[in-house]
């Protein structure tokens, strides 16, 4: 891949920004009543896919879209291959760490000896910002960068030690599951390794994509439903399901790299890739619902990118998404901010009247909240404050 020229694909930034905005929006549905079941996550065992069920798969897809361009950018900046492997490993590690902290927050007790759940979340988020802020790009003097990061590390360690979860406050800090960011981390690791090994070879990426689908089928068919020790920690990769969403994005990105100079062929190939997923999904639906959900979700993501690519790269319509651009360029910052705002609302007891948390008015209010988070992210980024792993 080091011999390829880096390509700037603005449509990826646009799709990432829209997806992040929608993720904040649908995450706020839990505060509302009277929301259509078609907008929420489908209950376990239901035979339909809710709108909310599509958002995280699209984000995983965008992660895959970004991987080869990130690697090419590092190659262009003359980073060694070994340093890029190390970068991938460390980014994965940090996503896992932050993901586990968020999972523990969600199960935290209000009867902890030091903090209640709300304050624990605020200090957790503060620690994350102190450690992973891109301090080099900030206006903070360089002499304070390392001390702030060290304080952040100490803070997170203290929070982990002081943590108590569960209804009776007896559960200690642990890897209950990896959390959304942790799942992203595993999917990123698996597909970044594929990208490093295969570069921009379309056939090789297609085979890797098929392998993840086969692993997913084996997972839901039974053979891989239980991963034996010591491989349990990497079960997310071995079972295939989560990395398969990202693999679809990676294959699409390789199509872009190989066919960028022929937009008609490129869009045709992307649409064909989506149709393959739809046909496969419909064929396997009677046997494995979750594999059907994987294939249909990937088709949705692929077609969403095709539309975005046509608008942004072919028709050159770029101004329309700039208002939410910070959600695409400072995505982790945008994702973490609600972990301050929700606890503050709990602490202050502030809440909109019930009529504004119900039905259509509630949905509009939640969308406004998402735009506010994106706007705050924009202001923070403009002033030089942005998380960077």
């Amino acid at each position: 891949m080091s011999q390829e020229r880096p390509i700037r694909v603005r449509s990826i930034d646009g799709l990432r920004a829209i997806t992040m905005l929608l993720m904040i929006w649908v995450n706020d549905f839990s505060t509302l009543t009277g929301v259509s079941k078609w907008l929420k996550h489908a209950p376990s065992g239901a035979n339909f896919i809710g709108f909310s069920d599509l958002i995280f798969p699209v984000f995983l897809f965008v992660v895959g879209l970004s991987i080869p361009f990130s690697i090419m950018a590092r190659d262009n900046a003359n980073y060694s291959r070994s340093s890029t492997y190390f970068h991938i490993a460390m980014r994965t590690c940090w996503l896992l760490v932050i993901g586990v902290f968020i999972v523990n927050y969600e199960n935290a007790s209000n009867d902890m000896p030091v903090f209640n759940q709300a304050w624990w979340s605020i200090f957790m988020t503060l620690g994350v910002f102190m450690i992973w802020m891109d301090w080099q790009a900030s206006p903070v003097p360089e002499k304070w960068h390392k001390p702030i990061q060290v304080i952040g590390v100490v803070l997170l360690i203290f929070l982990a030690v002081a943590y108590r979860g569960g209804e009776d406050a007896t559960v200690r800090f642990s890897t209950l599951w990896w959390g959304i960011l942790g799942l992203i981390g595993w999917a990123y690791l698996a597909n970044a390794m594929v990208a490093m090994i295969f570069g921009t070879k379309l056939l090789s990426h297609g085979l890797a994509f098929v392998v993840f689908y086969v692993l997913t089928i084996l997972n839901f068919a039974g053979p891989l439903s239980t991963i034996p020790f010591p491989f349990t920690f990497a079960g997310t990769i071995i079972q295939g399901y989560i990395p398969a969403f990202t693999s679809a994005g990676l294959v699409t990105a390789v199509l872009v790299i190989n066919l960028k100079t022929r937009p008609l062929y490129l869009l045709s190939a992307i649409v064909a890739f989506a149709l393959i997923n739809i046909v496969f999904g419909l064929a396997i639906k009677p046997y494995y619902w979750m594999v059907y959900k994987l294939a249909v979700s990937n088709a949705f993501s692929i077609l969403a990118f095709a539309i975005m690519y046509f608008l942004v790269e072919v028709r050159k319509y770029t101004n329309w998404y700039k208002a939410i651009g910070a959600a695409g360029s400072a995505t982790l910052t945008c994702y973490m901010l609600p972990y301050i705002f929700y606890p503050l609302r709990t602490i202050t007891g502030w809440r909109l009247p019930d009529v504004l948390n119900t039905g259509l008015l509630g949905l509009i209010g939640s969308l406004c909240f998402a735009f506010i988070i994106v706007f705050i992210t924009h202001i923070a980024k403009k002033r030089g404050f942005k998380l960077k792993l």
Side-chain angles (χ1 to χ4, degrees), residues 320-362:
W320 60 275
Y321 71 83
K322 288 184 178 179
I324 59 170
S329 57
T331 309
L332 184 58
T333 308
C334 195
Y335 182 82
M336 291 302 302
L337 283 175
Y339 290 98
I340 293 177
F341 282 87
Y342 284 127
L344 284 177
R345 189 179 67 176
T346 300
I347 292 168
T348 61
W350 185 85
R351 182 175 172 82
L352 292 172
D354 287 343
V355 67
L356 297 180
N357 287 302
T358 304
L360 179 60
L361 288 178

Side-chain angles (χ1 to χ4, degrees), residues 45-302:
N47 61 349
F48 70 92
I49 300 174
F51 176 73
S52 295
D53 295 319
L54 295 170
I55 306 305
F56 183 49
V58 176
F59 193 87
L60 289 168
F61 174 84
V62 175
V63 171
L65 279 175
S66 306
I67 286 172
F69 300 105
S70 298
I71 294 174
M72 290 163 69
R74 288 183 63 86
D75 288 347
N76 190 57
N78 295 320
Y79 284 97
S80 67
R81 301 293 281 178
S82 59
S83 71
T84 299
Y85 277 114
F86 181 75
H87 173 76
I88 291 168
M90 294 310 298
R91 176 176 280 189
T92 300
C93 179
W94 302 146
L95 285 168
L96 294 176
V97 169
I98 301 172
V100 169
F101 267 90
I102 292 175
V103 166
N104 279 271
Y105 150 67
E106 293 167 350
N107 192 52
S109 171
N110 283 317
D111 296 324
M112 284 186 278
V114 182
F115 304 111
N116 61 19
Q117 184 187 41
W119 280 111
W120 197 92
S121 176
I122 290 173
F123 282 109
M124 172 199 73
T125 309
L126 178 62
V128 169
F129 274 84
M130 293 174 74
I131 297 170
W132 287 286
M133 184 68 66
D134 184 8
W135 293 112
Q136 293 294 331
S138 76
V140 177
E142 186 173 357
K143 66 178 181 178
W144 294 108
H145 296 176
K146 289 297 181 183
I148 292 173
Q149 289 179 311
V150 169
I151 294 172
V153 170
V154 172
L155 176 58
L156 288 190
I157 292 174
F158 173 74
L159 290 173
V161 173
Y163 177 86
R164 299 292 185 276
E167 294 181 0
D168 54 358
T170 59
V171 178
R172 303 302 294 265
F173 187 90
S174 61
T175 308
L176 302 170
W177 66 291
W178 294 111
I180 294 298
L181 291 182
L183 295 181
I184 292 172
W186 285 120
Y188 166 75
L189 175 64
N191 284 279
M193 291 298 103
V194 170
M196 289 290 288
I197 294 169
F198 295 133
T200 58
K201 298 175 182 177
L202 181 59
L203 179 59
S204 298
H205 284 286
L207 290 174
F209 174 77
V210 171
V211 167
F212 283 124
Y213 266 50
V214 171
L215 291 174
T216 302
I217 294 171
L218 292 175
N219 174 23
F220 291 107
L224 291 180
S225 59
T226 302
I227 305 297
F229 182 83
F231 304 106
T232 49
F233 75 97
T236 302
I237 294 177
I238 297 171
Q239 292 175 332
Y241 182 68
I242 295 298
F245 292 110
T246 304
S247 181
L250 182 53
V251 171
T252 304
V254 174
L255 283 172
V256 172
I257 293 170
N258 284 283
L259 297 174
K260 189 176 189 293
T261 58
R262 295 183 288 175
L264 180 60
Y265 286 100
L266 171 59
L267 289 171
S268 299
I270 292 174
V271 171
F273 186 35
L275 291 176
I276 290 171
N277 276 273
I278 292 173
V279 171
F280 173 74
L282 292 174
I284 206 165
K285 181 180 179 182
Y287 309 101
Y288 302 108
W289 167 260
M290 291 301 292
V291 183
Y292 161 77
K293 181 179 177 181
L294 165 65
V296 170
S297 297
N298 273 339
F300 176 84
S301 301
I302 295 164

